[in-house]
């Protein structure tokens, strides 16, 4: 965001700058963002299931697993959400976002010991601020 601002309002600041190589785009994140912009967020689950996961990079696959759990959560299917987050956590045990989401499902069923065990494993900045704020509530 800051780079956009610099280029927009301070064009001379970027004039002699060498462009840094861009990280490969996360197609799953781009899909979720596109559906949200189009007002079709409810379609995310079907879109995710239609993808060939063998073609996804590791970051994309992590996002794919996480979004599947979120889709079940948003539909109100907490049992499926917990199962999907547990599967995602087994595939990506180092993912703070997945562990946080799984922890929330343990909180929902009243297993706060497991919830705190998951929450305590991750510190800033591995956990995005939006998740940390939700955790603190």
């Amino acid at each position: 965001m800051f780079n956009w601002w610099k280029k927009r309002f301070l064009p001379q600041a970027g004039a002699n700058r060498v462009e840094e190589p861009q990280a490969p785009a996360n197609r799953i994140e781009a899909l979720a963002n596109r559906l949200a912009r189009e007002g079709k967020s409810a379609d995310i689950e079907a879109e995710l299931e239609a993808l060939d996961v063998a073609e996804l990079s590791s970051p994309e696959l992590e996002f794919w697993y996480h979004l599947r759990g979120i889709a079940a959560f948003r539909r109100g299917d907490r049992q499926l959400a917990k199962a999907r987050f547990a599967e995602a956590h087994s595939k990506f045990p180092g993912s703070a976002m997945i562990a946080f989401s799984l922890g929330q499902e343990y909180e929902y069923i009243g297993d706060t010991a497991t919830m705190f065990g998951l929450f305590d494993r991750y510190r800033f900045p591995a956990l995005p601020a939006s998740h940390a704020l939700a955790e603190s509530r």
Side-chain angles (χ1 to χ4, degrees), residues 104-123:
Q104 286 183 306
E105 293 310 307
Y106 277 106
E107 176 189 26
Y108 178 74
I109 62 172
D111 185 350
T112 55
T114 303
M115 174 197 74
F116 282 122
L118 287 164
F119 287 173
D120 287 345
R121 284 190 227 152
Y122 302 92
R123 302 280 184 240

Side-chain angles (χ1 to χ4, degrees), residues 28 48-49 53 56-72 80-81 83-92 95 98 101:
I28 305 304
L48 291 173
E49 295 301 328
V53 295
L56 301 177
S57 68
S58 183
E60 290 172 332
L61 191 57
E62 178 182 353
F63 212 81
W64 183 87
Y65 274 106
H66 191 231
L67 280 178
R68 286 179 67 237
I70 290 171
L80 181 58
R84 285 181 174 177
F85 288 135
E87 179 186 10
H89 186 62
S90 71
K91 303 280 187 190
F92 293 93
S95 172
I98 290 171
S101 295

